[in-house]
Amino acid sequence: MHNQPPPLPTPPTTAPDPAGPSGLPTPIGLPAAGMADEPVAFHRMSRELTPRWWRTVAAVLVVFLGVLASLMTAAVALNFQPRLPLLGDYTLMAYTIAGVAVALPIAMLTVKTIERRPAGSVLSIAGRIRRRWLAVCLAVAAPTVLTGMISGFVIEVLTHTSDVEPAPTQPSGWPGFGPYLTTVTIVAVFLIGQVTAEEYISRGVILQSVGRFFRSPWPAIGGQAVVFAALHGPGTVWGVLLVLTMGVALGWLAVVTGGIEAGIAFHLAVNFPLLLLTAAMPRLADPTANAAGVGWQTAATQGLTVAVYATIVGLLATKTPLLRLLAPRTKAVTAHQQASAAAAHHHDAQRHPSDQPQTPARSTP
């Protein structure tokens, strides 16, 4: 009689529950084949889903060219049509916002075609906008930003020491309540696209492209913050510092929460009130102005505002499951991989029996 080696384990006939670790749902929109053995942080998504680094570099270059092309197209359109019949004095504001919003589909198409990964992987670890989490962030951002704006206005009024005589009051160009609501509704649609585009490109594409080369998230956070400030153009020292601070805080939130929803919420909470004010006085307000040109009063209050917002949202994120990390594999995928490995091992054992450990034969009396 010869001792026989123990039989190989038989693959399970039924797949286990497709719920992820600890019963958490599988992230939507991300292929299981691209998931790593360990949990993947948001800033490393490009590395995990796009193995070839040159595709990421090419995608970033194309995105920048797309942004430049959309802004130039908006500028050319403004020269040909300085006043749209429906928007009138709001035409410049609409073109300025739409020029950035158009960059969003360009960036999403670039990620999908050049990097060959789901465009939703830039939005969050779930592969999409997590609407409930976005609502939570908006609920935090709205009162926080409003308080900061009011405080900044009060401080600016109290510290105003200019000796220059105020200019004569000019008509604001108030169009009437009906046209005002119509214009705000139209421009608000572009505003949502603009805000999402800025977050998608800065806290998404750029953060993940830098993050693929560094395990620590801080180079990615710092890199996208610098690009974010550069895209806002020149301004005051305080204004540039404010934009850098916002970039770092929102970039940190993207890593901590695993998505750009927190940045979109803060951006909307800041830009929408400014839209309402600018639309109310189109002849006095400058629709092309941004945070890079503010004074120290606004920079100080807005910097404190974004710090408070980041702290609150960061604390809330620690209480919410499946925000920071991507579940690496579901139980069903793991079972399939184990079954495939067992079948391959059995196949190799049949092809190369000499490689298998042999038990010395014993002579029978």
Side-chain angles (χ1 to χ4, degrees):
M1 298 290 295
H2 298 280
N3 290 335
Q4 298 295 329
L8 294 172
T10 302
T13 56
T14 58
D17 184 3
S22 303
L24 296 176
T26 304
I28 299 174
L30 301 182
M35 298 181 185
D37 292 337
E38 297 179 356
V40 181
F42 179 70
H43 70 287
R44 302 282 283 177
M45 294 292 288
S46 177
R47 178 182 178 87
E48 297 300 331
L49 300 178
T50 306
R52 301 184 182 277
W53 64 268
W54 62 266
R55 289 189 175 277
T56 298
V57 176
V60 172
L61 294 177
V62 172
V63 167
F64 273 117
L65 291 177
V67 172
L68 182 61
S70 62
L71 292 176
M72 291 181 63
T73 302
V76 171
L78 182 62
N79 289 331
F80 279 98
Q81 184 60 266
R83 286 175 63 90
L84 293 174
L86 183 61
L87 295 177
D89 291 333
Y90 303 97
T91 300
L92 175 59
M93 177 174 56
Y95 274 128
T96 302
I97 296 176
V100 180
V102 172
L104 178 60
I106 296 175
M108 298 184 75
L109 184 63
T110 300
V111 169
K112 189 169 183 62
T113 57
I114 296 182
E115 284 201 271
R116 295 183 178 177
R117 63 182 173 115
S121 62
V122 182
L123 296 172
S124 75
I125 56 174
R128 56 182 171 78
I129 290 292
R130 297 163 295 184
R131 288 174 292 181
R132 291 185 179 180
W133 177 240
L134 176 61
V136 171
C137 293
L138 280 171
V140 176
T144 305
V145 170
L146 182 60
T147 302
M149 285 184 172
I150 295 175
S151 301
F153 176 76
V154 172
I155 294 176
E156 189 168 355
V157 170
L158 294 177
T159 58
H160 184 69
T161 57
S162 176
D163 294 331
V164 179
E165 292 293 333
T169 303
Q170 300 292 332
S172 64
W174 170 252
F177 194 70
Y180 172 78
L181 287 181
T182 302
T183 304
V184 166
T185 302
I186 296 174
V187 178
V189 175
F190 293 115
L191 179 65
I192 296 174
Q194 177 210 17
V195 166
T196 307
E198 290 189 20
E199 293 300 319
Y200 190 92
I201 294 171
S202 299
R203 257 67 68 183
V205 174
I206 298 175
L207 183 140
Q208 292 181 351
S209 65
V210 178
R212 74 169 295 134
F213 300 104
F214 300 94
R215 186 171 296 274
S216 170
W218 290 108
I221 294 173
Q224 62 82 28
V226 172
V227 175
F228 181 64
L231 291 176
H232 279 74
T236 65
V237 175
W238 293 105
V240 173
L241 289 176
L242 171 61
V243 177
L244 281 173
T245 302
M246 292 176 59
V248 170
L250 298 182
W252 177 78
L253 281 177
V255 174
V256 169
T257 65
I260 65 174
E261 295 94 344
I264 292 176
F266 185 83
H267 230 133
L268 281 175
V270 172
N271 286 14
F272 190 71
L274 294 179
L275 166 64
L276 297 178
L277 293 175
T278 304
M281 43 185 181
R283 297 178 186 173
L284 297 183
D286 182 7
T288 63
N290 58 66
V294 301
W296 70 266
Q297 301 93 334
T298 303
T301 53
Q302 288 297 311
L304 181 61
T305 298
V306 72
V308 172
Y309 172 74
T311 302
I312 297 174
V313 173
L315 291 175
L316 290 175
T318 61
K319 306 296 183 181
T320 306
L322 201 61
L323 274 180
R324 287 189 288 178
L325 298 179
L326 170 65
R329 289 176 292 188
T330 66
K331 293 180 181 179
V333 174
T334 303
H336 176 73
Q337 292 174 340
Q338 291 174 347
S340 300
H345 178 72
H346 182 65
H347 181 69
D348 291 341
Q350 289 181 336
R351 291 187 57 187
H352 306 286
S354 59
D355 295 339
Q356 303 302 315
Q358 301 293 328
T359 303
R362 294 187 301 176
S363 59
T364 57

